[in-house]
Amino acid sequence: MAEELQGNCLIGQTGGPTAVINASVAGVVAEALNHSCIEEVYGALNGVHGLLNEDLVDLASESQQAIRGLRYTPGAALGSCRTKLKKPADFDRVLEVFKAHNIRYYFHIGDGDSQETAVKLGETAAAAGYELRVIGIPKTIENDISATDHCPGYGSAVKFIAASVKELALDAEAIGQGDLVTLVEVMGRNTGWLAAGASLAKRRDHPNDPPHLVYLPEVPFSNEKFVEDVRRVLKREKHCVVVVGEGLVDKDGNYVSVETSASDPAGHAQLGGVGEALKDLVESQVGAKARVARFGVAQRAAAHLASKTDADEAFLAGQAAVKAAVNGETGKLVTLVRGDGDVYTCETGLSALSDVVGNLKKLPKEWVNEDGVSLNFQFFRYATPLIQGEVAVPFDNGLPAYAKLTRESVDKTLPGYEG
Amino acid sequence: MAEELQGNCLIGQTGGPTAVINASVAGVVAEALNHSCIEEVYGALNGVHGLLNEDLVDLASESQQAIRGLRYTPGAALGSCRTKLKKPADFDRVLEVFKAHNIRYYFHIGDGDSQETAVKLGETAAAAGYELRVIGIPKTIENDISATDHCPGYGSAVKFIAASVKELALDAEAIGQGDLVTLVEVMGRNTGWLAAGASLAKRRDHPNDPPHLVYLPEVPFSNEKFVEDVRRVLKREKHCVVVVGEGLVDKDGNYVSVETSASDPAGHAQLGGVGEALKDLVESQVGAKARVARFGVAQRAAAHLASKTDADEAFLAGQAAVKAAVNGETGKLVTLVRGDGDVYTCETGLSALSDVVGNLKKLPKEWVNEDGVSLNFQFFRYATPLIQGEVAVPFDNGLPAYAKLTRESVDKTLPGYEG
């Protein structure tokens, strides 16, 4: 048992929300209140903005009901951000904020790259001789964090995508006459985890079920093969459902999409338009009708269809972060570790935070069938357990009733920061 | 009580599916089996294609489970079609098919315009002295059938749209900093019923809740006003959610859309969606970030989020069609009639089928506020009851388990039809 570190804890949310990122906040809050060494439980508003501007809220004063509601509420209840801290002066400022509020535990919920902020915060504190325990909690629908078997947020996104593909396929089957191609463009940046997940819409032992063709960023795209693939399916079926990852590239590594010149503040190239690009190909080369569905942000926001497994694991990750920190750990990422048995089990582990940054996990190529457009049993064995169970979202007046925090401000004690 | 007409009944589904079009089939089948004058219950595969090609299936031989499952299954279980019968020879052929299978009751599930086929089938039979009772059952997510208070399919589409807007807004609120515009393009063709329905995402007495701006095809669009509207919201809120109907027009009646660089094989410039057009305006005129969500066919296929009120009324409409036909009615459309009381009630009525065709119901202008971008209490009073209740969709292995008919063919007795 580590020496007890008395002080306050702080939670920050960063990056794009997921259906379950708030469940991790709920896990931290619920667990923090079990430990007497943790006095106050604070949240940083809008991630690093809150850290810099001393915009903190008191999470311990929220109602039990509100914190429980976070387990099924999409968005980021504390607000999120797209920026990373870069300048040394910024880190010094955050340390001042931590000192001013006796923050001794910092929980950083974010994707792999955003954990760089957590790493550097820990280093800044250590260099200043300020005792601080920093634990990262993974979140991303893209599932591209290498250290963890899978990432909270992924299962719910896949559940939404696979269910929607199943529904779109029923619609297309009703009106297709061997001439209708439904193109579904899904997120996932440069990895095919989400696109692959759409395959879960297939029934076991029904390889010809929709989605008929899945194009992954990990498999170089060829116009000619695509046209052949679609023609083959349309000969066999009344319609063809194509799922395509937004980050699809050709053999030279160029995006198959109208790449805009814009990039987001974190420097990620903005992708999109691959669905429209394939629609052009279908109409001009195959001569069939094509329609494009682009779920967009719904993939990470459709909490009414979240995976219970995913939501529970996101909560568990939050709890595990607190337990680890109280036990003296710092500079670690909470990971999800799958059991070896035939029946799916999952517990948490810890990995060095510094190993996580810039370490993108791609979909294993050996999980893709030789046809390049379908997944084999290894993927199904991996992904199927992650979408199991439904979260019981309460409904009010016909719509999901999501939680809203009161966000009671913590008094500021420092002068404003000009940055 | 009308004279009893002994014979078989046939159901056809036409046009785009809805989340509850199959519930109407279930209503017909369930009710038909209550009447001894109806012997066999058949379905026409792919609407008028099935009628012409004598592609009939035996619905009475389906399991109870499968028919019950239709009450929550999207798509069109019998298959649908996009075509209308036009040539007199086609109608003569369908009459031959009816005679060959002793079809005395025909139930036509479709939108307003598609009921023309039902009208003409009735006329063809009457002219030939063949006793046939034809009843139309309304279906459309667009809610644009004039004879009925509202249309089966609308409530579920609105429930999905409003819930999704609520979720997207939570996502946008988490990352917006007074600079993010979420554009949601919804279906509805030339009417604003669906776009207006997104407003149900607002809490009662919270007019500033998202969606902040709703642009309806019934209100002529102006670029200048749009830019002002968005600027006003972004001054007040961290983000702006805009809902726009696909059929938006300017003051000259031209569709609001954008020319893309893509062109079709004939070299004609292709028009982009209204969402993309507004995105361009936001980026170039307002200087804010914009993202477009386009739910597409999910609006009519997302049965996992169907309205129980809607699904029950669709089933009721199917039952009412059978009761009306058995009672001697023909050439009628089943309508939904709202009670006068403060508490929502709904029963069915009948309207002349011939009045329905080409009679588009627009959203009443007096339900739109003076700002042109929000709806008043009359719309809320109208639409709120239609999204109440959730359909209990069973889940299997993490995904909705929808019903599938076995579609046992009825033996053909006629030579093929060349058309």
Side-chain angles (χ1 to χ4, degrees):
Chain A
M1 194 71 184
E3 201 184 336
E4 201 162 84
L5 175 62
Q6 198 76 17
N8 300 325
C9 88
L10 178 65
I11 312 166
Q13 295 179 300
T14 63
T18 74
V20 302
I21 186 173
N22 289 325
S24 290
V25 174
V28 171
V29 175
E31 184 64 28
L33 296 171
N34 291 339
H35 299 276
S36 57
C37 58
I38 296 178
E39 289 159 9
E40 302 290 346
V41 184
Y42 294 153
L45 286 186
N46 299 305
V48 301
H49 298 294
L51 299 184
L52 286 174
N53 300 319
E54 205 189 351
D55 280 331
L56 309 183
V57 294
D58 181 6
L59 288 170
S61 73
E62 299 285 345
S63 71
Q64 302 282 326
Q65 208 171 27
I67 297 299
R68 182 191 292 180
L70 293 184
R71 296 185 70 163
Y72 51 76
T73 296
L78 297 170
S80 188
C81 66
R82 288 285 185 197
T83 45
K84 289 203 277 186
L85 295 185
K86 282 178 184 155
K87 290 180 303 186
D90 287 346
F91 286 98
D92 292 341
R93 162 69 180 188
V94 175
L95 188 58
E96 288 310 305
V97 172
F98 280 16
K99 286 178 178 172
H101 295 278
N102 195 31
I103 305 296
R104 297 293 177 171
Y105 299 92
Y106 175 61
F107 302 104
H108 186 88
I109 310 179
D111 64 16
D113 282 351
S114 89
Q115 298 294 346
E116 191 176 359
T117 297
V119 171
K120 289 190 178 164
L121 268 177
E123 291 170 353
T124 304
Y130 179 79
E131 196 171 359
L132 175 71
R133 296 185 188 156
V134 175
I135 304 287
I137 300 170
K139 80 85 212 166
T140 160
I141 61 168
E142 284 90 1
N143 204 38
D144 57 3
I145 300 181
S146 53
T148 183
D149 175 77
H150 56 283
C151 187
Y154 175 64
S156 294
V158 165
K159 188 179 180 99
F160 172 80
I161 290 168
S164 299
V165 163
K166 200 169 171 178
E167 292 172 337
L168 294 187
L170 283 170
D171 188 279
E173 194 199 337
I175 53 176
Q177 299 287 333
D179 58 351
L180 178 63
V181 179
T182 303
L183 298 154
V184 181
E185 179 181 324
V186 302
M187 288 175 154
R189 297 204 290 249
N190 297 317
T191 68
W193 290 104
L194 286 175
S199 329
L200 299 187
K202 288 179 195 274
R203 289 167 296 171
R204 184 191 295 261
D205 299 325
H206 285 73
N208 289 346
D209 270 1
H212 306 104
L213 305 168
V214 177
Y215 294 93
L216 307 159
E218 286 85 353
V219 180
F221 182 78
S222 140
N223 285 2
E224 293 69 31
K225 179 171 181 298
F226 171 73
V227 169
E228 270 171 39
D229 288 343
V230 172
R231 284 204 177 118
R232 188 179 66 245
V233 173
L234 285 181
K235 261 188 203 159
R236 193 186 72 210
E237 311 282 341
K238 293 171 69 180
H239 69 111
C240 176
V241 175
V242 176
V243 172
V244 55
E246 61 180 356
L248 196 67
V249 292
D250 63 21
K251 65 177 169 42
D252 302 319
N254 298 314
Y255 287 119
V256 183
S257 57
V258 190
E259 192 189 350
T260 67
S261 52
S263 59
D264 69 17
H268 302 118
Q270 296 217 324
L271 303 179
V274 63
E276 294 296 329
L278 298 197
K279 179 175 192 263
D280 285 353
L281 273 176
V282 169
E283 289 176 344
S284 64
Q285 307 286 314
V286 182
K289 283 179 286 190
R291 54 188 197 185
V292 180
R294 211 175 157 186
F295 302 131
V297 172
Q299 288 161 86
R300 66 190 199 202
H304 72 268
L305 198 57
S307 153
K308 185 167 192 310
T309 299
D310 187 32
D312 287 351
E313 289 174 353
F315 183 83
L316 184 71
Q319 290 181 300
V322 175
K323 287 179 188 163
V326 168
N327 282 334
E329 298 281 358
T330 186
K332 296 284 166 63
L333 179 82
V334 172
T335 59
L336 296 177
V337 182
R338 185 186 299 244
D340 289 333
D342 283 345
V343 175
Y344 175 79
T345 56
C346 180
E347 52 188 41
T348 60
L350 293 173
S351 184
L353 260 185
S354 51
D355 290 350
V356 169
V357 181
N359 208 345
L360 199 71
K361 183 172 72 171
K362 295 233 173 191
L363 185 74
K365 280 197 179 156
E366 60 271 24
W367 292 6
V368 182
N369 285 326
E370 262 186 41
D371 62 12
V373 290
S374 63
L375 285 297
N376 67 25
F377 76 98
Q378 294 179 89
F379 177 75
F380 284 83
R381 193 173 54 184
Y382 171 84
T384 303
L386 311 182
I387 66 166
Q388 298 302 309
E390 289 71 55
V391 173
V393 177
F395 275 67
D396 179 34
N397 212 13
L399 295 176
Y402 293 125
K404 201 169 168 61
L405 299 181
T406 56
R407 293 183 173 189
E408 198 174 300
S409 292
V410 175
D411 288 340
K412 295 191 185 192
T413 63
L414 297 176
Y417 182 64
E418 296 299 322
Chain B
M1 194 70 185
E3 201 184 334
E4 201 163 82
L5 176 62
Q6 198 75 19
N8 300 326
C9 90
L10 179 64
I11 312 167
Q13 295 179 299
T14 63
T18 74
V20 302
I21 187 174
N22 289 325
S24 290
V25 173
V28 171
V29 174
E31 184 64 27
L33 296 171
N34 291 338
H35 299 275
S36 58
C37 59
I38 296 179
E39 289 158 10
E40 301 291 347
V41 183
Y42 294 152
L45 286 186
N46 300 306
V48 301
H49 297 296
L51 299 184
L52 287 174
N53 300 321
E54 205 188 352
D55 280 331
L56 310 183
V57 295
D58 181 7
L59 288 170
S61 72
E62 299 285 345
S63 71
Q64 302 282 326
Q65 207 172 27
I67 298 298
R68 182 191 290 180
L70 293 184
R71 296 185 71 163
Y72 51 74
T73 296
L78 297 170
S80 188
C81 66
R82 287 287 185 196
T83 44
K84 288 203 278 186
L85 296 184
K86 281 179 185 154
K87 290 181 303 189
D90 287 346
F91 287 97
D92 293 341
R93 162 68 180 189
V94 174
L95 188 60
E96 288 311 304
V97 172
F98 280 16
K99 286 179 178 170
H101 295 277
N102 195 30
I103 305 298
R104 296 293 177 171
Y105 300 93
Y106 175 61
F107 303 105
H108 186 89
I109 310 178
D111 64 15
D113 282 352
S114 88
Q115 298 294 345
E116 192 176 358
T117 297
V119 171
K120 289 191 177 164
L121 268 177
E123 291 169 354
T124 304
Y130 178 80
E131 195 170 2
L132 176 71
R133 296 185 189 157
V134 176
I135 303 288
I137 300 169
K139 80 84 211 166
T140 158
I141 61 168
E142 284 91 0
N143 203 40
D144 57 3
I145 300 181
S146 54
T148 183
D149 175 78
H150 56 282
C151 187
Y154 176 64
S156 293
V158 165
K159 188 180 180 99
F160 172 79
I161 291 168
S164 298
V165 163
K166 200 169 172 180
E167 293 172 337
L168 294 187
L170 283 170
D171 187 278
E173 195 200 336
I175 54 174
Q177 298 287 332
D179 59 350
L180 178 63
V181 178
T182 304
L183 298 154
V184 182
E185 180 181 324
V186 302
M187 288 174 153
R189 297 201 292 246
N190 297 316
T191 69
W193 291 104
L194 286 175
S199 328
L200 299 187
K202 288 178 195 276
R203 289 167 297 171
R204 184 190 294 261
D205 300 325
H206 285 73
N208 289 346
D209 270 3
H212 307 103
L213 305 168
V214 177
Y215 294 93
L216 308 159
E218 286 86 351
V219 179
F221 181 79
S222 140
N223 285 2
E224 293 70 31
K225 180 172 182 298
F226 170 73
V227 170
E228 271 171 40
D229 289 342
V230 172
R231 283 204 177 118
R232 189 177 65 245
V233 173
L234 286 181
K235 261 188 202 160
R236 195 185 72 211
E237 311 281 342
K238 293 170 70 182
H239 70 109
C240 175
V241 175
V242 176
V243 172
V244 55
E246 62 181 355
L248 196 67
V249 292
D250 63 21
K251 66 177 168 40
D252 301 320
N254 298 315
Y255 285 115
V256 178
S257 58
V258 68
E259 251 187 43
T260 70
S261 54
S263 58
D264 67 15
H268 302 122
Q270 293 205 331
L271 294 180
V274 61
E276 293 296 328
L278 299 197
K279 179 174 193 263
D280 285 355
L281 273 176
V282 169
E283 289 176 344
S284 64
Q285 307 285 313
V286 182
K289 283 178 288 189
R291 53 187 198 186
V292 180
R294 211 175 158 184
F295 303 131
V297 172
Q299 289 161 87
R300 66 189 199 203
H304 73 268
L305 198 57
S307 153
K308 184 166 192 310
T309 299
D310 187 31
D312 287 350
E313 290 175 354
F315 183 82
L316 185 70
Q319 291 181 300
V322 175
K323 287 179 188 166
V326 168
N327 282 333
E329 299 282 358
T330 186
K332 297 286 167 62
L333 179 81
V334 172
T335 59
L336 296 177
V337 181
R338 186 187 298 243
D340 288 332
D342 283 344
V343 175
Y344 175 79
T345 56
C346 180
E347 51 187 42
T348 60
L350 292 173
S351 184
L353 259 186
S354 52
D355 290 350
V356 169
V357 180
N359 208 345
L360 199 70
K361 184 171 70 170
K362 294 232 174 192
L363 185 74
K365 280 196 179 157
E366 60 271 25
W367 292 6
V368 183
N369 286 326
E370 262 186 40
D371 63 11
V373 289
S374 63
L375 285 296
N376 66 25
F377 75 98
Q378 294 179 90
F379 176 75
F380 283 83
R381 194 172 55 186
Y382 171 83
T384 303
L386 312 183
I387 65 165
Q388 299 302 308
E390 290 70 56
V391 173
V393 177
F395 276 67
D396 179 35
N397 212 12
L399 295 176
Y402 293 124
K404 202 169 168 63
L405 298 181
T406 56
R407 293 183 173 189
E408 199 174 300
S409 293
V410 175
D411 288 340
K412 296 190 185 193
T413 63
L414 296 177
Y417 182 62
E418 297 299 324

